[in-house]
Amino acid sequence: MQHAGRNWAYSYRRLFEICPEQKLAKVAGRVATQYALLTKDWTHERNSEWSCRMYFTTKMILNATVLLNSLEFARTSGLRTATPYFEYYAALSLLRGLVYTIPTEDWNSGELMAIPHTRAINVAFDWVAKFDKSLAAEMKKTALQLKAQRELIAYKAPASGDKNIGANYDLIDFLTILAEVAEFNSELLEGSISKNADPASFEVLDEHIHQIATVEVEGFTFSDDEDYWRLGYVQRKTRRPYHLGLFMHPGQSEDFIGAWDGDEDAGETFSNGSPSNWQAIFDVP
């Protein structure tokens, strides 16, 4: 796709509508300059870190997709106590995913993955404001509303149920814009790496794989064999960051989304369905 003086690999649904072409060209130029500060000094460590950041962002897109499907299931089942959680955490997944693609955000040995909710909201919408300040302000207000509604159910146990919970937002559009801004960033990063980086630096280190695949929360350790397997593939085959639409591949999406399907033999009726059901916010392969 040719737009704003550049060729784009992804077919954007919303991003090119919300930002005039001339302004988008300026935004792309400024962001590309920020990535160039990294890629002109591209090392094994930096390549490994950013490869893992791209992987983690693809997981955030897939996670938001599963949460959207869960939201629809909850709605059709009348499970109203769950809907504020699914809405908010779908939004938080994409906010975090966007933050991981921002060149000025330090990975800090994986600590960025634990970014506090409020900071994720602030950082993400400061970035969206590059494209449209009024839209960013509106979207930030929506994110805070989703957060407040989740907290209302979790902490206040309203006696009137969900009577006071609003729905004056388009969640699909909200998530699509966040996913596409992250994709936009990743395309500029890929181009900058191809232009500036020495291919000899294309290595993914065990250290960064371990930071993602094994986490400790409140003294409990969780190790994910699927993450180790997928990142092992990145280490062997992919070896460097590409844009999100290319970095994500069918095997990854099928396994991630399918892992949350109900057990039919046990009579569990939830299913994420076929790949045609996974396309609401991003072109999931």
Side-chain angles (χ1 to χ4, degrees):
M1 175 185 291
Q2 177 74 28
H3 192 78
R6 293 176 182 264
N7 288 315
W8 303 94
Y10 187 79
S11 296
Y12 293 90
R13 310 174 195 177
R14 289 287 286 120
L15 187 62
F16 294 168
E17 296 176 1
I18 66 175
C19 186
E21 187 167 359
Q22 186 174 5
K23 182 177 181 180
L24 189 73
K26 292 180 180 178
V27 173
R30 289 194 293 267
V31 175
T33 297
Q34 289 180 295
Y35 282 123
L37 294 175
L38 300 174
T39 62
K40 288 181 178 179
D41 186 26
W42 202 245
T43 62
H44 293 87
E45 290 76 15
R46 187 163 282 172
N47 180 80
S48 179
E49 172 198 318
W50 278 94
S51 295
C52 289
R53 287 171 75 146
M54 292 301 103
Y55 172 76
F56 206 73
T57 299
T58 63
K59 289 213 304 174
M60 293 298 97
I61 294 171
L62 294 172
N63 197 54
T65 300
V66 169
L67 289 168
L68 273 181
N69 290 339
S70 301
L71 172 63
E72 182 61 26
F73 182 82
R75 284 174 172 166
T76 57
S77 303
L79 192 60
R80 288 152 51 202
T81 54
T83 58
Y85 293 91
F86 290 139
E87 288 187 328
Y88 175 63
Y89 285 107
L92 183 64
S93 293
L94 266 298
L95 290 166
R96 294 171 65 206
L98 171 55
V99 169
Y100 303 147
T101 69
I102 293 176
T104 52
E105 289 300 306
D106 188 6
W107 181 244
N108 194 22
S109 299
E111 290 299 315
L112 186 62
M113 290 185 291
I115 184 172
H117 295 203
T118 298
R119 185 165 182 270
I121 291 170
N122 290 336
V123 171
F125 291 115
D126 283 349
W127 193 264
V128 175
K130 295 176 182 292
F131 303 86
D132 187 309
K133 288 184 179 180
S134 62
L135 176 65
E138 179 183 337
M139 291 180 68
K140 183 175 182 178
K141 184 177 179 180
T142 295
L144 293 173
Q145 179 181 350
L146 295 172
K147 184 174 184 287
Q149 291 176 171
R150 187 268 301 180
E151 292 181 358
L152 175 68
I153 299 298
Y155 304 140
K156 301 301 182 182
S160 58
D162 59 357
K163 179 181 178 180
N164 294 318
I165 290 178
N168 56 327
Y169 44 81
D170 185 335
L171 185 62
I172 298 295
D173 191 60
F174 177 94
L175 297 174
T176 299
I177 291 170
L178 291 176
E180 290 192 355
V181 173
E183 167 66 22
F184 173 91
N185 290 349
S186 70
E187 289 208 47
L188 294 174
L189 172 62
E190 178 185 335
S192 190
I193 292 170
S194 297
K195 179 180 179 180
N196 297 321
D198 182 353
S201 66
F202 295 166
E203 179 181 1
V204 178
L205 305 176
D206 290 341
E207 170 193 354
H208 294 120
I209 291 175
H210 186 69
Q211 288 169 359
I212 288 178
T214 296
V215 297
E216 184 174 321
V217 182
E218 301 291 351
F220 294 91
T221 299
F222 302 90
S223 184
D224 194 315
D225 291 340
E226 184 68 18
D227 274 330
Y228 275 114
W229 193 90
R230 290 292 168 195
L231 284 166
Y233 178 88
V234 172
Q235 187 179 51
R236 296 188 309 274
K237 300 292 186 180
T238 312
R239 300 183 60 239
R240 52 157 287 184
Y242 292 96
H243 73 89
L244 300 172
L246 182 59
F247 204 94
M248 185 189 301
H249 56 87
Q252 177 194 1
S253 56
E254 289 172 6
D255 288 348
F256 185 99
I257 293 175
W260 292 102
D261 284 347
D263 184 347
E264 292 182 2
D265 294 336
E268 297 173 354
T269 57
F270 175 70
S271 172
N272 283 286
S274 66
S276 63
N277 296 99
W278 310 341
Q279 311 302 319
I281 58 175
F282 194 79
D283 293 346
V284 174

